[in-house]
Amino acid sequence: MNTTDNEVSIEFVNQEDLDSFLENRFNNNIESFRKYLPKIASIFEHYIPHKKQQFICTSDGTPNLYLPEENRLFYVTNDPIFFCRDTLISLLNNAQFNISNYKKEKDKYGQIYDKYLNGALEIIESNNQEKIKINDLDVIPFAIIAGVGLGYILGELYERVTVDNIVVVENDPDVFFASLHTFDWSNLLDYIFSENLSIDIVIDANPRNCFDAINNIVETKGIFLCCSLFLVFHYINDFIKEFANICKNDFGFSADLIGFFDDYLFGISHSYHTFSCKKHFVLSHKNNLSLENNPVFVVGSGPSLDDDIEFLQKYQDKALIIACGTAVDVLYHTGIKPDFFANTERTPEIFDFLNSIPDKEFFSDIILVCSEVCHPKVIDKFNKTLIFGKVNEPLFSYLQTQINKIREIQPVQFMNPLVGNMGLAASILLGFKDIYLFGLDNGKKNGAQAIHSLYTTLYNELGCPTDGDQFSTNSFVEANFGGSCMTNPLYLHSIKNLTNIIKLVNENKAENEQVEVYNCSDGAYIKNTYPRHSSELQDLFEGLPIINKEELCNRIYFEKSKDFDISTNEITNCLYKDRFSLLCTNIIYRLTNMLDSDSRTTLLNKMRELSVSLHNENDDVEKFHNRMLNSSVQSLLITIFNAMYLRKDYRECLTTCNRLIQLSIDFIKESEELFRLLPNYIMGDHRRYFKNNKVGKDMPSIVAPELPDHVNLIRKKFDDPIKKFKKITIN
């Protein structure tokens, strides 16, 4: 690692004295790590470096590291401390303190999460935001130091500013071992822990592993930390370049991806219905039905689908077809009969959309593919279902620990955020290995106008609006067949999950056992798929036999799934409502203790302590209750975090912080009351619990807003000319 091309003059001191000093420092540091971070002590107490190390002193008396095998100094400078100081001061003087927050969103359904988050954002927006630089701060909330070097960068940092939460990332354990000899870690650790600050150390040669470890730290200590990151690259090497690139691409405002309380309440209530109505769930154990030689078309409603309609018409009898969401509208109007309908959402308007199809017999033999949180109206519309357990929902993973027969149900990952994710996840978990994606564009090609297929009557004739943020495109990614594709964060999340589920299922599998996914969509490129134009597949499908779809679908239904009849009481007994009330009391106590915090450091520490408490997992019930509330609590902590940095002077922020803390307390109080309504909190029907057409109650910190009108996707009348489905097959 070179910092300068200048020659370095080295004045050797008594080597015996130097060795004694370094050995004493190492021993003191190991003792401190044993006290504070024992895992680090256990790794390095008897560590032997992979490369030979020799410590020397530069002319100013600062220990430096010489690497004989490479014939170079670690810091190629006469003054390593000055180099670190100069790097840091330059960064502190020039870096802007940026902070992320939510944007207000319209409450479409009547949800207390929206009520309180929008109320919090209104409070913040009523204040003027002062521009702040890093060197204006008395405390940096979150910092990552990439490259520990010999440790001097940490000493220079803490001499100038308090860092409430720091993560030190080092790819080379030899370097960290060297820092234990040169830097006074003992003094730093004593200071950090005496001041109730936080430090984590990540040592791994894989940049992605380091990034994932940081994500886990943030999830535990507070997602609010992702709102502002001070990232210091101590020096440049291949590891840090790759790590920096990952941070740039992936360390976004991850709070956009967390769930919220109302969603979980709806999910629990919908699950009660699903478990008790004798519908079929996919079984997790393997059976003798092999689908690896049966191709499956996973069809979305992206604009490029229109180019493949003729191909799908021609070969629809040679592959099973999963229609993802509004793709069923396209297929109905183009004479293509799907075998499955995939659904991700829990919203009731999906039922209204399905009823817009004029032929009421169209769905009689189509199998619904969904998770247990699907809306009861949608579940009941289908004669046959293949239902998965949604593992990132609090209830399902919890019930697996409480009710033995639920462990038989196949869990599903990566089924969000879009219905195409459900289509691919389901096809993989059912055992298909020959998968073709159509219309999963995740955006639109640069220059294209429409975001959906022109055959989608829901948007083109029935007036469903397409002007929401979920349909806007504000960034560019590589396109599947070259060029660029316009996309947005929601689509990017979908692409990431499509990529991840293929990677997950193919890991550690022999090449001949792997799932092969061919992306025929002329939209965004998806890693781990093979780009293929449908025209390139015609010879293949010409040679394939026609499938007896009725027989194959029946075999999938009866051999890969079965009905579950779990009583409502059986699940209700698992909710432990009184224990949930105790959790709410504890959170309210911790929030109340945040009022009038005398400094940013004090408030940040209390926020971190609350976040860590919500990650306690003493038993499965506690874990379930914590998951119910944690994401919404984190969202409100994000608003408090923003408020404490509205002005340079924390004292000018205190009143606003107190208002937001009180608002958070009121949210917990209303949450406790709503939890007691379970399992009868069906989305849409839940409005009956709200009096005077208000969302919840007036509370000391907030006046309850008016209930919104019912969501209506269908805004126009349309006399659909296709009253009866007619299959179109091109010979």
Side-chain angles (χ1 to χ4, degrees):
M1 177 211 61
N2 291 322
T3 58
T4 177
D5 292 328
N6 295 331
E7 290 293 322
V8 179
S9 61
I10 301 171
E11 181 179 318
F12 288 93
V13 298
N14 185 298
Q15 193 66 40
E16 186 177 336
D17 291 343
L18 175 62
D19 291 344
S20 175
F21 168 80
L22 296 173
E23 183 179 354
N24 288 334
R25 172 154 286 182
F26 175 81
N27 291 333
N28 288 337
N29 285 336
I30 289 295
E31 283 301 313
S32 289
F33 274 109
R34 189 178 288 115
K35 177 180 178 182
Y36 297 116
L37 298 171
K39 185 177 179 180
I40 298 294
S42 66
I43 293 172
F44 289 101
E45 185 171 10
H46 304 293
Y47 181 81
I48 299 175
H50 294 85
K51 295 181 179 179
K52 188 176 180 182
Q53 297 182 342
Q54 180 181 341
F55 292 99
I56 60 174
C57 268
T58 56
S59 56
D60 71 335
T62 303
N64 200 348
L65 177 65
Y66 176 66
L67 301 168
E69 295 171 23
E70 302 175 25
N71 191 29
R72 69 177 181 90
L73 292 173
F74 190 86
Y75 290 109
V76 188
T77 174
N78 284 324
D79 192 340
I81 290 180
F82 177 80
F83 165 75
C84 294
R85 183 182 303 143
D86 188 57
T87 300
L88 190 66
I89 289 175
S90 176
L91 192 56
L92 290 172
N93 287 340
N94 294 295
Q96 193 74 28
F97 180 69
N98 295 315
I99 194 164
S100 303
N101 199 0
Y102 292 103
K103 294 186 295 184
K104 283 182 65 177
E105 290 192 9
K106 181 180 178 182
D107 177 10
K108 296 191 293 185
Y109 299 103
Q111 302 177 120
I112 64 159
Y113 172 81
D114 286 330
K115 166 185 173 179
Y116 282 93
L117 183 59
N118 285 335
L121 295 176
E122 287 176 7
I123 291 172
I124 290 175
E125 289 170 5
S126 66
N127 290 268
N128 292 324
Q129 176 83 49
E130 190 174 8
K131 285 188 177 181
I132 302 175
K133 285 190 173 183
I134 291 290
N135 63 357
D136 293 326
L137 299 177
D138 54 345
V139 54
I140 294 174
F142 183 44
I144 297 175
I145 306 295
V148 69
L150 299 186
Y152 305 136
I153 191 80
L154 295 171
E156 293 302 313
L157 175 64
Y158 279 89
E159 275 189 21
R160 286 160 181 78
V161 67
T162 299
V163 183
D164 195 72
N165 299 269
I166 193 168
V167 180
V168 179
V169 177
E170 178 53 57
N171 68 298
D172 188 349
D174 280 12
V175 173
F176 193 87
F177 176 74
S179 78
L180 292 171
H181 295 78
T182 57
F183 177 63
D184 192 353
W185 280 99
S186 179
N187 186 48
L188 178 65
L189 293 175
D190 284 343
Y191 166 74
I192 286 175
F193 284 91
S194 67
E195 296 296 320
N196 199 24
L197 306 176
S198 170
I199 182 171
D200 291 275
I201 297 172
V202 179
I203 302 172
D204 196 305
N206 186 314
R208 172 56 64 179
N209 290 346
C210 292
F211 181 81
D212 291 343
I214 292 170
N215 269 346
N216 291 334
I217 292 166
V218 168
E219 286 179 10
T220 300
K221 297 190 174 181
I223 295 175
F224 61 87
L225 294 175
C226 75
C227 296
S228 182
L229 170 64
F230 180 52
L231 186 55
V232 178
F233 300 117
H234 186 177
Y235 36 77
I236 299 300
N237 57 30
D238 291 341
F239 167 86
I240 289 180
K241 286 179 183 177
E242 188 175 347
F243 178 72
N245 190 51
I246 293 172
C247 289
K248 177 183 175 182
N249 293 331
D250 293 0
F251 201 94
F253 187 44
S254 58
D256 280 336
L257 307 180
I258 61 179
F260 54 91
F261 186 66
D262 304 73
D263 236 12
Y264 295 154
L265 293 178
F266 298 141
I268 290 173
S269 300
H270 297 178
S271 299
Y272 270 62
H273 174 85
T274 309
F275 283 124
S276 62
C277 66
K278 295 189 175 181
K279 294 293 186 178
H280 269 227
F281 285 76
V282 179
L283 298 171
S284 58
H285 63 261
K286 292 183 178 180
N287 55 52
N288 294 326
L289 177 58
S290 174
L291 298 174
E292 61 183 49
N293 295 321
N294 295 104
V296 61
F297 296 159
V298 178
V299 185
S301 61
S304 75
L305 177 61
D306 296 352
D307 298 329
D308 294 317
I309 292 296
E310 188 173 317
F311 176 88
L312 295 175
Q313 290 171 333
K314 188 172 185 178
Y315 298 113
Q316 62 178 303
D317 293 327
K318 296 189 174 186
L320 293 182
I321 299 175
I322 301 177
C324 301
T326 53
V328 76
D329 182 4
V330 178
L331 300 183
Y332 174 84
H333 288 95
T334 55
I336 302 164
K337 184 62 186 286
D339 306 289
F340 306 93
F341 172 73
N343 177 58
T344 296
E345 299 289 346
R346 69 195 72 199
T347 54
E349 59 265 27
I350 301 300
F351 177 74
D352 300 330
F353 157 65
L354 295 173
N355 281 346
S356 71
I357 301 293
D359 187 349
K360 302 310 174 188
E361 298 299 314
F362 180 67
F363 292 103
S364 62
D365 57 351
I366 294 176
I367 301 174
L368 171 65
V369 175
C370 65
S371 77
E372 83 283 4
V373 304
C374 182
H375 197 280
K377 286 183 177 180
V378 178
I379 291 279
D380 293 343
K381 184 174 179 63
F382 290 83
N383 297 323
K384 294 180 179 180
T385 60
L386 293 172
I387 303 171
F388 295 87
K390 190 176 181 185
V391 291
N392 63 341
E393 202 81 11
L395 183 69
F396 178 74
S397 55
Y398 167 60
L399 288 183
Q400 285 183 306
T401 70
Q402 305 295 306
I403 301 173
N404 286 336
K405 51 190 167 183
I406 288 183
R407 296 171 193 166
E408 298 179 55
I409 297 171
Q410 173 65 54
V412 61
Q413 297 183 69
F414 304 118
M415 60 163 279
N416 287 102
L418 301 177
V419 70
N421 296 95
M422 179 79 246
L424 178 60
S427 60
I428 288 174
L429 293 173
L430 288 171
F432 292 99
K433 291 190 175 180
D434 195 16
I435 303 170
Y436 300 83
L437 309 181
F438 296 91
L440 265 67
D441 293 17
N442 287 296
K444 59 185 179 180
K445 283 294 287 288
N446 192 12
Q449 297 300 313
I451 197 72
H452 292 100
S453 164
L454 297 178
Y455 294 101
T456 314
T457 62
L458 178 68
Y459 299 109
N460 298 319
E461 279 79 29
L462 294 170
C464 182
T466 58
D467 56 355
D469 288 344
Q470 70 270 32
F471 299 130
S472 65
T473 52
N474 48 26
S475 59
F476 293 88
V477 293
E478 179 186 356
N480 193 40
F481 298 125
S484 60
C485 176
M486 296 184 289
T487 188
N488 64 33
L490 186 67
Y491 290 132
L492 291 172
H493 185 201
S494 173
I495 294 166
K496 182 178 180 180
N497 281 357
L498 291 167
T499 299
N500 285 341
I501 193 166
I502 301 170
K503 178 182 177 183
L504 179 69
V505 75
N506 282 338
E507 278 181 338
N508 305 317
K509 281 189 177 181
E511 189 172 341
N512 62 338
E513 295 179 349
Q514 294 193 349
V515 172
E516 294 185 338
V517 181
Y518 299 92
N519 187 7
C520 307
S521 316
D522 193 9
Y525 171 69
I526 301 169
K527 290 181 182 178
N528 301 327
T529 67
Y530 302 98
R532 289 288 189 279
H533 289 286
S534 60
S535 59
E536 300 175 68
L537 302 173
Q538 295 204 39
D539 289 345
L540 170 65
F541 278 88
E542 282 294 327
L544 295 181
I546 291 175
I547 297 172
N548 185 334
K549 290 194 169 190
E550 182 179 0
E551 177 186 344
L552 184 56
C553 287
N554 279 333
R555 288 198 66 190
I556 293 171
Y557 179 71
F558 288 108
E559 296 181 36
K560 287 187 174 287
S561 70
K562 76 171 188 179
D563 67 295
F564 283 76
D565 185 10
I566 301 170
S567 71
T568 303
N569 286 338
E570 199 172 355
I571 304 178
T572 302
N573 291 337
C574 297
L575 293 181
Y576 295 98
K577 295 180 181 179
D578 289 340
R579 282 191 63 179
F580 184 81
S581 295
L582 288 175
L583 171 64
C584 292
T585 300
N586 179 53
I587 294 173
I588 289 171
Y589 169 79
R590 288 180 178 275
L591 287 168
T592 303
N593 196 36
M594 292 180 194
L595 291 167
D596 296 317
S597 293
D598 59 3
S599 68
R600 287 191 178 105
T601 302
T602 301
L603 183 51
L604 284 168
N605 290 347
K606 291 175 180 178
M607 290 165 64
R608 184 175 68 242
E609 288 167 1
L610 172 57
S611 299
V612 171
S613 76
L614 290 173
H615 268 77
N616 288 339
E617 298 176 3
N618 294 321
D619 59 43
D620 294 314
V621 178
E622 182 179 31
K623 181 179 179 180
F624 164 59
H625 288 159
N626 286 348
R627 286 189 68 189
M628 286 294 299
L629 278 173
N630 182 47
S631 55
S632 294
V633 169
Q634 291 299 322
S635 297
L636 292 170
L637 290 180
I638 284 168
T639 65
I640 297 169
F641 180 87
N642 272 264
M644 75 170 77
Y645 287 102
L646 283 169
R647 314 291 295 174
K648 295 176 184 177
D649 187 343
Y650 169 71
R651 292 169 296 182
E652 297 178 26
C653 307
L654 187 56
T655 299
T656 304
C657 289
N658 283 342
R659 289 183 65 189
L660 293 172
I661 293 166
Q662 187 59 57
L663 183 138
S664 302
I665 292 170
D666 289 342
F667 167 77
I668 298 299
K669 289 179 179 178
E670 282 210 77
S671 297
E672 180 185 356
E673 294 177 11
L674 293 183
F675 191 82
R676 291 196 172 275
L677 299 176
L678 294 175
N680 301 307
Y681 204 72
I682 302 292
M683 192 172 191
D685 180 62
H686 75 288
R687 297 161 64 104
R688 64 191 169 99
Y689 295 111
F690 296 150
K691 306 301 181 185
N692 303 317
N693 204 40
K694 297 286 189 73
V695 180
K697 302 185 299 186
D698 290 341
M699 299 292 283
S701 67
I702 191 168
V703 175
E706 296 286 330
L707 267 172
D709 294 333
H710 286 275
V711 174
N712 186 7
L713 294 181
I714 299 170
R715 310 284 180 89
K716 296 179 182 178
K717 290 184 178 181
F718 171 56
D719 184 14
D720 197 322
I722 304 177
K723 300 292 190 295
K724 201 75 177 173
F725 174 74
K726 184 177 180 181
K727 186 176 177 182
I728 299 173
T729 304
I730 298 175
N731 294 321

